[in-house]
Amino acid sequence: MSSVGNVSPKTHRFSEPLMLQSGASMADYTLMYETYGQLNAAKTNAILICHALNASHHVAGTYADHPSEVGWWDNMIGPGKSIDTDRFFVIGVNNLGSCFGSTGPMHTNPLTGKPYGADFPVVTVEDWVNAQARLADVLGISQFAAVMGGSLGGMQALSWSTMYPDRLKHCVVIASTPKLSAQNIAFNDVARQAIVSDPDFHGGDFYAYNVVPKSGLRVARMVGHITYLSNDDMAEKFGRDLKAADYQFGFGVDFEIESYLRYQGDKFSSYFDANTYLLITKALDYFDPARKYNGDLTKALAMTKAQFLVISFTTDWRFSPERSHEIVKALLSNTRDVTYAEIDAPHGHDAFLLDDARYMNLVRSYFERLHQQLDQERA
Amino acid sequence: MSSVGNVSPKTHRFSEPLMLQSGASMADYTLMYETYGQLNAAKTNAILICHALNASHHVAGTYADHPSEVGWWDNMIGPGKSIDTDRFFVIGVNNLGSCFGSTGPMHTNPLTGKPYGADFPVVTVEDWVNAQARLADVLGISQFAAVMGGSLGGMQALSWSTMYPDRLKHCVVIASTPKLSAQNIAFNDVARQAIVSDPDFHGGDFYAYNVVPKSGLRVARMVGHITYLSNDDMAEKFGRDLKAADYQFGFGVDFEIESYLRYQGDKFSSYFDANTYLLITKALDYFDPARKYNGDLTKALAMTKAQFLVISFTTDWRFSPERSHEIVKALLSNTRDVTYAEIDAPHGHDAFLLDDARYMNLVRSYFERLHQQLDQERA
């Protein structure tokens, strides 16, 4: 097993307006993406990887000028890996509104000549899927072998199966949910309130002031990070370990967990865009495919045609296994072909990003079967 | 069952210095407290109620000038109630560093003539218990019939049993824990970081600037509040209900849960002191009676002499039943008399404050037995 090596992101500029769910439209936008492996002549071996909150199009490999910037799913994707780039043509795409290259709030709004800031339209999971479908058109891919994602990425994969049922053979939904709970929304709103109440946010127009709402982003990330880890894993890794020999009797750092979270918060606030954080948490909150079917998820998934792989992790309390069960039940009620696995992993929600032999082997087996399926169809 | 009616808080000023766990000392301080019922001639029927994070000495009854200000455990305490003030003399005391009348960061530091602010010493659960013991001395109570509390209040009750084993007959520890987990500490640190990074905090000296770090306190309370409610209860009460008919595609309020939490945060930030929030969360983090026994809770509780009532709530994920089990196991290893109840209540950590027939009846029965015990001893 090896890496796909050094990769280079590509961009495509779209000048046909994209109608958004809000009623607004993007007149002109650019998507940044990466590809790994070779598209076969029949164009049947493409896999689309959808990213979660703070990730990007950089899914696998490294950059020649930044060898430490390894793709976020590099443990999953590469030559000989679970998703074998010797067999599949894998695409990572940065979503609209994100801050890693595709058009987002920090880019110039052609209508004003200034950064979009707070004027960047609220985008939804469905909007992202529509934009991804246009990129597929550009790449000449009429049907993906699979669309796949974890967490918010899983929501995009699920939306592909309902919005473009003929354009994917397989749908892989990992550590995801058919909709956020009140508690999930509550945590997102804490994060948003931390950001918008930071005076350096300037109503979203902080670019003009040459500042960044670092404190708000830092708190937002800290609270988010807690929900990504399991209680047990946190206890195991940090417990009540102290940084110094004894309590400090002050408000600096006493415990290792404080040091870790503050560090993660500081790091995040140094590279992530505050408006993007608002936009992406809102896309999470709004995702609810059953909403227009009176909450009936079975009806919402009735038009799907794909085969499904659904994976959850036992210690994930952000999107617990029960949330995946809801998806699996609704698919089974529609007599869809579903493989479901509940992986007994200690790492909470973050498990979908981490190495775990059972998880990696499961995905490997699933994609080997998919590869055989493609071979048989070609024969 | 009726209310204790209108009550008036009392104060006592202590001029003997109080040595604190940090090594600092409080030269001079005042405790505010309330009492309900009558102390009997033998002074054996006193019950001390210890408060949690945002509560006070106002445990039961109302104030003549503020009839809506009902004590925080008024459902539990009063004539004919589970803790019957026709039988018991009940004391509520505001802890040092709090913001409801006892000496706290907003009061004048005699050394500087200015509000303590950031100079208020870090106080611990043990410091509070020492201060409460001095108040008991003033009231002439050499032994409490019971010391009781929920959450952080339960930690104080547990500390009474180890620090003053001869001064309480019964120890009632509700919805508590022998120490905070890494996850508990993490949530507290998010809250603290939200407060200290609010520019209106001014390093704790905001009194001088005539401002209050409202945004920070608001975010702190929002994240705290999430941990007080159960996931299921939040789903039941709020679910994904919207304030308006449809998504707003903006960053105002979409969901009822957002509206509720922001309202709670606003309310809290209008009356709670930011320095107190820091102090009390730190007292929570530091509480760990087993620490000086190499983590051995059984050893830490070996000197206890009280009889114990320990209560947990099934849906409390802040201090889950497992945390109470740790206390119960350590007490049983010391062959202490322990009554343990795990109440199947939907309301999460907040359940300890709420009416629940099984919970209230359990406490009633326990205190009836205690009353009989006192009667028999008198006979």
Side-chain angles (χ1 to χ4, degrees):
Chain A
M1 291 194 290
S2 60
S3 162
V4 298
N6 285 334
V7 296
S8 298
K10 306 172 182 75
T11 55
H12 187 86
R13 183 170 164 192
F14 296 81
S15 46
E16 181 89 4
L18 181 74
M19 289 302 298
L20 304 174
Q21 209 183 329
S22 65
S25 74
M26 293 287 298
D28 183 281
Y29 59 96
T30 295
L31 291 183
M32 187 168 271
Y33 65 100
E34 290 181 8
T35 66
Y36 324 106
Q38 296 297 322
L39 187 60
N40 64 15
K43 301 190 172 180
T44 57
N45 69 333
I47 295 175
L48 177 67
I49 305 292
C50 306
H51 71 75
L53 206 161
N54 67 321
S56 74
H57 52 280
H58 185 40
V59 180
T62 48
Y63 294 142
D65 51 350
H66 284 106
S68 64
E69 265 194 55
V70 180
W72 57 269
W73 233 348
D74 191 77
N75 54 351
M76 179 80 91
I77 295 160
K81 292 185 180 173
S82 295
I83 296 177
D84 188 347
T85 50
D86 290 336
R87 291 169 168 177
F88 294 105
F89 176 66
V90 178
I91 304 164
V93 55
N94 190 218
N95 284 323
L96 274 180
S98 180
C99 50
F100 297 110
S102 293
T103 302
M106 70 296 302
H107 292 128
T108 304
N109 180 349
L111 295 179
T112 65
K114 293 178 193 163
Y116 280 101
D119 291 335
F120 197 88
V122 169
V123 283
T124 64
V125 168
E126 289 80 1
D127 294 332
W128 289 334
V129 167
N130 282 328
Q132 290 161 4
R134 288 194 177 176
L135 180 65
D137 294 341
V138 167
L139 299 173
I141 297 159
S142 58
Q143 188 187 52
F144 285 104
V147 178
M148 173 171 184
S151 191
L152 176 57
M155 297 176 184
Q156 293 160 58
L158 194 62
S159 295
W160 266 93
S161 77
T162 58
M163 294 170 65
Y164 298 100
D166 294 312
R167 296 195 70 173
L168 69 168
K169 270 189 162 16
H170 290 262
C171 178
V172 183
V173 179
I174 305 175
S176 196
T177 175
K179 61 183 184 226
L180 261 60
S181 69
Q183 192 189 65
N184 293 147
I185 294 170
F187 279 124
N188 279 346
D189 203 45
V190 168
R192 284 190 295 259
Q193 294 306 302
I195 291 169
V196 301
S197 66
D198 184 330
D200 285 339
F201 181 64
H202 293 287
D205 295 327
F206 51 90
Y207 316 105
Y209 297 81
N210 231 349
V211 292
V212 164
K214 276 187 85 76
S215 320
L217 268 169
R218 182 170 177 268
V219 168
R221 179 57 167 184
M222 286 175 76
V223 70
H225 206 95
I226 298 174
T227 70
Y228 304 150
L229 305 181
S230 76
N231 190 7
D232 285 352
D233 196 34
M234 230 186 222
E236 175 78 25
K237 273 194 198 132
F238 303 101
R240 296 177 54 84
D241 293 351
L242 298 173
K243 283 294 278 185
D246 204 348
Y247 292 163
Q248 298 300 296
F249 293 101
F251 300 106
V253 163
D254 274 296
F255 296 93
E256 290 283 359
I257 182 65
E258 297 175 304
S259 170
Y260 173 79
L261 281 181
R262 292 183 193 184
Y263 172 79
Q264 293 295 335
D266 285 335
K267 200 172 75 170
F268 188 74
S269 71
S270 74
Y271 73 83
F272 206 83
D273 180 77
N275 285 308
T276 291
Y277 203 91
L278 300 187
L279 287 166
I280 297 193
T281 53
K282 212 59 179 171
L284 277 160
D285 289 0
Y286 282 174
F287 181 69
D288 183 6
R291 188 163 174 262
K292 58 183 170 188
Y293 299 93
N294 260 316
D296 187 334
L297 188 62
T298 300
K299 279 191 188 146
L301 300 182
M303 66 283 283
T304 61
K305 296 182 177 176
Q307 293 174 259
F308 288 83
L309 172 61
V310 179
I311 301 175
S312 71
F313 299 92
T314 48
T315 57
D316 182 353
W317 64 280
R318 182 176 169 86
F319 300 149
S320 72
E322 287 68 30
R323 314 312 307 274
S324 286
H325 297 175
E326 296 171 34
I327 297 171
V328 170
K329 278 181 195 159
L331 289 169
L332 291 177
S333 299
N334 283 304
T335 66
R336 290 296 165 276
D337 182 329
V338 189
T339 301
Y340 174 61
E342 202 163 305
I343 308 279
D344 188 6
H347 304 296
H349 188 61
D350 262 0
F352 87 87
L353 294 167
L354 301 176
D355 278 330
D356 176 286
R358 281 174 291 194
Y359 170 43
M360 289 294 160
N361 287 335
L362 171 76
V363 174
R364 174 185 296 278
S365 302
Y366 193 88
F367 280 87
E368 268 176 10
R369 194 184 65 162
L370 199 168
H371 179 66
Q372 286 164 15
Q373 202 178 38
L374 294 179
D375 268 357
Q376 281 158 10
E377 285 172 8
R378 210 180 314 173
Chain B
M1 291 193 290
S2 59
S3 164
V4 297
N6 285 334
V7 295
S8 299
K10 306 171 181 75
T11 55
H12 187 87
R13 185 170 163 191
F14 297 81
S15 47
E16 183 91 1
L18 181 75
M19 289 302 297
L20 303 175
Q21 207 182 331
S22 64
S25 73
M26 292 288 298
D28 183 280
Y29 60 96
T30 296
L31 291 184
M32 186 168 271
Y33 65 101
E34 290 180 10
T35 65
Y36 324 107
Q38 297 297 323
L39 187 60
N40 63 17
K43 300 189 174 181
T44 58
N45 70 332
I47 295 175
L48 177 66
I49 305 292
C50 307
H51 71 75
L53 206 159
N54 66 319
S56 73
H57 52 281
H58 187 38
V59 180
T62 47
Y63 293 141
D65 51 348
H66 284 106
S68 64
E69 264 194 56
V70 180
W72 57 269
W73 232 349
D74 190 76
N75 55 352
M76 179 80 91
I77 294 159
K81 292 184 179 174
S82 295
I83 296 176
D84 188 346
T85 50
D86 291 336
R87 293 171 167 174
F88 295 105
F89 177 65
V90 178
I91 303 163
V93 55
N94 192 217
N95 285 323
L96 274 180
S98 180
C99 51
F100 297 111
S102 294
T103 302
M106 72 296 303
H107 292 128
T108 303
N109 182 347
L111 294 180
T112 64
K114 293 180 192 164
Y116 280 100
D119 290 336
F120 197 89
V122 169
V123 283
T124 64
V125 168
E126 289 80 2
D127 294 331
W128 289 334
V129 167
N130 283 328
Q132 290 161 5
R134 290 194 175 178
L135 180 65
D137 294 342
V138 168
L139 298 173
I141 297 159
S142 59
Q143 187 188 51
F144 284 104
V147 177
M148 172 172 184
S151 190
L152 176 57
M155 297 176 185
Q156 294 160 58
L158 194 62
S159 295
W160 265 93
S161 77
T162 58
M163 294 170 64
Y164 297 100
D166 294 311
R167 295 194 70 173
L168 69 168
K169 271 188 158 20
H170 290 262
C171 179
V172 183
V173 179
I174 305 174
S176 195
T177 175
K179 61 183 182 219
L180 261 59
S181 68
Q183 192 189 65
N184 294 148
I185 295 170
F187 278 125
N188 279 346
D189 202 47
V190 168
R192 284 189 294 260
Q193 294 306 303
I195 290 170
V196 302
S197 66
D198 184 329
D200 285 339
F201 182 64
H202 293 287
D205 295 326
F206 51 90
Y207 316 104
Y209 297 82
N210 231 348
V211 291
V212 164
K214 276 188 84 75
S215 320
L217 269 170
R218 184 171 177 265
V219 167
R221 179 59 167 183
M222 286 175 75
V223 71
H225 206 94
I226 298 174
T227 70
Y228 304 150
L229 305 181
S230 77
N231 190 9
D232 284 353
D233 195 34
M234 229 187 221
E236 175 79 24
K237 273 195 198 131
F238 303 101
R240 296 178 52 84
D241 293 351
L242 298 173
K243 283 293 276 185
D246 205 350
Y247 291 162
Q248 298 300 296
F249 294 102
F251 300 106
V253 163
D254 273 297
F255 295 92
E256 290 282 359
I257 183 65
E258 296 174 303
S259 171
Y260 173 78
L261 282 181
R262 292 184 194 184
Y263 171 79
Q264 294 295 335
D266 285 334
K267 201 172 75 171
F268 187 74
S269 70
S270 74
Y271 72 83
F272 207 83
D273 180 76
N275 285 310
T276 292
Y277 203 92
L278 301 187
L279 287 167
I280 298 195
T281 53
K282 211 59 178 173
L284 277 161
D285 289 0
Y286 281 173
F287 181 68
D288 182 7
R291 188 164 174 261
K292 56 183 169 187
Y293 299 92
N294 261 319
D296 187 335
L297 188 62
T298 299
K299 279 192 189 147
L301 299 183
M303 65 283 284
T304 61
K305 296 182 176 176
Q307 292 174 261
F308 288 83
L309 171 61
V310 179
I311 301 176
S312 71
F313 299 92
T314 48
T315 57
D316 183 352
W317 64 280
R318 182 175 169 86
F319 300 149
S320 71
E322 287 70 29
R323 312 314 306 275
S324 286
H325 297 177
E326 295 171 35
I327 297 171
V328 171
K329 278 181 195 159
L331 289 170
L332 291 177
S333 299
N334 285 304
T335 65
R336 290 295 164 277
D337 181 330
V338 189
T339 302
Y340 174 61
E342 201 163 305
I343 307 279
D344 188 6
H347 303 298
H349 189 60
D350 263 359
F352 88 88
L353 294 167
L354 301 175
D355 279 329
D356 177 285
R358 280 174 291 194
Y359 171 42
M360 289 294 160
N361 288 335
L362 171 74
V363 175
R364 174 185 296 278
S365 302
Y366 193 88
F367 280 87
E368 269 176 12
R369 196 184 63 163
L370 200 168
H371 178 65
Q372 286 164 16
Q373 202 177 36
L374 294 181
D375 267 357
Q376 283 159 11
E377 285 172 9
R378 211 179 316 173

